[in-house]
Amino acid sequence: MKINATNSYNKIYEDKERKQKAEAKSEVESKEVKKDSLELSTEVLKYGPIKSKIKQGFYENDNVLNEISEKLLKELKL
């Protein structure tokens, strides 16, 4: 029976080499600056003016509230 020791050495060496390459790659990836971004849909963007009007106190007027409620009733068909 012949035992070839070089095969096991090659496997250990290849595993060690793969591990070193993976560590080097992960270091490079961790050093890169990642940027997150937020994309708003057009539906959300249309509520921006409403939010600013709320802050200004536009909707605290009774006439405005009545007009809005009538528009909502028509839109919702209640």
Side-chain angles (χ1 to χ4, degrees):
M1 182 169 151
K2 183 177 179 183
I3 299 175
N4 190 351
T6 58
N7 287 340
S8 61
Y9 174 77
N10 287 339
K11 174 142 178 62
I12 293 170
Y13 179 75
E14 287 173 2
D15 290 343
K16 184 179 178 182
E17 190 175 294
R18 279 190 216 143
K19 184 178 178 183
Q20 288 173 343
K21 285 181 182 179
E23 287 174 353
K25 185 178 178 182
S26 67
E27 284 180 23
V28 170
E29 289 176 354
S30 66
K31 290 180 182 178
E32 293 178 1
V33 177
K34 295 182 180 180
K35 296 181 181 179
D36 289 335
S37 63
L38 175 66
E39 294 182 19
L40 299 176
S41 67
T42 55
E43 189 173 314
V44 171
L45 292 176
K46 76 178 183 180
Y47 295 115
I50 295 172
K51 187 176 179 181
S52 65
K53 286 183 179 181
I54 290 172
K55 287 181 180 180
Q56 295 171 356
F58 179 77
Y59 294 108
E60 293 175 11
N61 186 343
D62 289 336
N63 293 332
V64 174
L65 289 176
N66 288 334
E67 287 181 34
I68 292 172
S69 61
E70 287 176 13
K71 287 180 182 179
L72 287 173
L73 283 172
K74 288 179 185 177
E75 189 175 315
L76 298 173
K77 299 176 184 176
L78 294 176

